[in-house]
Amino acid sequence: MIRRHFLALFSLWGLAACLRPQDPVVRPYPHRALVVEGPAGPLAGELVLPAGEGPFPAVLLVAGSGAQSRDEEVAGHRPFLVISDFLAKAGYASFRYDKRGVGQSGGDCATATISDFAEDAGAAFDVLAAMPEIDNGRIAMLGHSEGGLTAPLAARGRNVAALVLLAGPGVPIDALLRLQTRTIATLHGASPSEIESLDKALDGAFTALRAAPDLDAARLDLAQALAPLPPAERANLEGLIATPWCFDALRHEPLTLIRAFSGPVLALYGGTDTQVDATINAAALRSLGPRLGLHVEIMPGLNHLFQPDPSGDPRRYGRIAITMAPEAERRVVDFLKMALRPRAI
């Protein structure tokens, strides 16, 4: 039972996508396959250009956790396909790609870390910036969920004009995962004692990972932290936490990365999100204080995918027809109009 709760967290698990009302049936703009050479092999994706003459401002889409395709398929939805469509119609180019080891991309997704995914995003940005169709001084990165941590990490040392973070972490990953666990386990009917037992075990496990110089050195303390749990649950959680991804994720502090980025940032949260709590994560970013170009906003009634849903329950994602609420789309475009406006000559 506990494993089921934990597996639902911070992941955008895929179901076969089906046609949704916002999926573009007709795409009246240029779009073509594009393969980028990444650190672990080719990254296959699609470049979308607006109609008309370039060079165009552009957005690089950075997907959330798990084995995500270029469309970030989840619960029958294709959020990144929908985003690429409304961006093109608003005058913005975009590139989205299959994560390493997924679809037509090379590499191994199962063993990759956030640092690895950031290197992939950086390689994609560098290729996009070198294309004649693209205005290389007006490229934003848009990251969803875990992609909201990957994007600012990838932006370091690059001429990224702006960041759009959709349900991105504002608190450290261990704090975020513990909060997710409590919230979603409660939704799924776990008892208070189950939730407290799991939270205590997670606290000890994450503490062990943070303190250790490497993953191998953490294994004994991590196993001891999980020891009070039933054997099957202990084994499942150890397999999820004692991973290169988790060890690496704890080394990246969201506030440090946002503070280091000098360009404008839009951080949007859904008010009913049960995977990345809007109130706590937005408050963390607002703690940075007045900063020119930092926009932190909570959109009431929207869930982790920015679908309209008062419950925010991840089990409902596939039952909702809308892939992304129009008001969220408009807010992203309004921000890009400001952040990627033409440079003065």
Side-chain angles (χ1 to χ4, degrees):
M1 183 176 185
I2 288 176
R3 178 175 184 268
R4 173 167 55 86
H5 300 322
F6 193 84
L7 281 173
L9 306 180
F10 209 52
S11 296
L12 298 177
W13 61 98
L15 299 175
C18 54
L19 189 64
R20 300 286 183 166
Q22 291 173 298
D23 285 350
V25 177
V26 176
R27 304 174 76 191
Y29 41 76
H31 50 96
R32 67 175 186 266
L34 175 65
V35 177
V36 169
E37 192 57 42
L43 297 170
E46 184 181 66
L47 175 71
V48 178
L49 300 172
E53 296 294 325
F56 302 104
V59 181
L60 176 68
L61 306 185
V62 183
S65 60
Q68 293 297 330
S69 72
R70 67 194 67 182
D71 293 336
E72 203 191 44
E73 294 178 19
V74 51
H77 289 276
R78 301 179 180 92
F80 275 15
L81 175 63
V82 170
I83 290 174
S84 73
D85 181 64
F86 76 69
L87 287 175
K89 291 173 179 175
Y92 298 93
S94 66
F95 178 57
R96 66 195 198 284
Y97 55 91
D98 302 330
K99 289 176 74 170
R100 64 167 67 186
V102 179
Q104 300 174 37
S105 291
D108 184 358
C109 186
T111 60
T113 65
I114 288 179
S115 293
D116 294 327
F117 294 130
E119 289 184 3
D120 292 343
F125 177 89
D126 293 344
V127 170
L128 197 59
M131 299 183 68
E133 302 99 321
I134 303 301
D135 184 338
N136 62 14
R138 300 167 65 202
I139 305 176
M141 286 189 180
L142 181 153
H144 177 234
S145 194
E146 179 191 298
L149 182 62
T150 308
L153 182 59
R156 296 188 305 182
R158 290 185 166 86
N159 185 32
V160 177
L163 292 173
V164 177
L165 311 177
L166 302 179
V171 299
I173 293 298
D174 51 342
L176 186 144
L177 288 174
R178 288 177 63 195
L179 179 59
Q180 286 180 350
T181 301
R182 300 182 71 90
T183 302
I184 296 181
T186 300
L187 278 175
H188 289 190
S191 69
S193 62
E194 282 185 309
I195 295 170
E196 289 303 320
S197 177
L198 177 56
D199 184 62
K200 183 178 179 180
L202 289 177
D203 183 23
F206 288 133
T207 298
L209 281 182
R210 276 193 175 276
D214 55 54
L215 182 57
D216 287 338
R219 292 187 187 279
L220 178 59
D221 288 340
L222 191 150
Q224 290 175 343
L226 299 178
L229 297 176
E233 293 166 352
R234 181 172 66 244
N236 286 328
L237 280 179
E238 191 166 357
L240 290 164
I241 298 172
T243 61
W245 180 92
C246 201
F247 184 84
D248 178 71
L250 293 175
R251 269 72 196 162
H252 303 300
E253 298 290 340
L255 295 187
T256 300
L257 294 172
I258 298 300
R259 187 182 292 112
F261 183 74
S262 60
V265 178
L266 173 65
L268 277 189
Y269 294 95
T272 62
D273 191 339
T274 55
Q275 290 188 251
V276 178
D277 182 272
T279 302
I280 290 174
N281 286 278
L285 290 184
R286 287 170 178 155
S287 74
L288 292 174
R291 176 192 182 280
L292 186 62
L294 175 59
H295 307 266
V296 183
E297 301 174 20
I298 297 175
M299 307 199 77
L302 303 186
N303 63 18
H304 186 63
L305 302 186
F306 293 86
Q307 300 170 296
D309 180 19
S311 77
D313 190 336
R315 295 171 296 184
R316 288 182 45 82
Y317 294 165
R319 304 175 200 170
I320 302 168
I322 292 295
T323 298
M324 186 175 189
E327 60 266 33
E329 296 178 345
R330 288 192 295 269
R331 184 64 190 98
V332 170
V333 169
D334 286 346
F335 171 77
L336 292 174
K337 286 179 180 177
M338 178 277 296
L340 301 184
R341 59 183 177 270
R343 293 163 291 181
I345 298 176

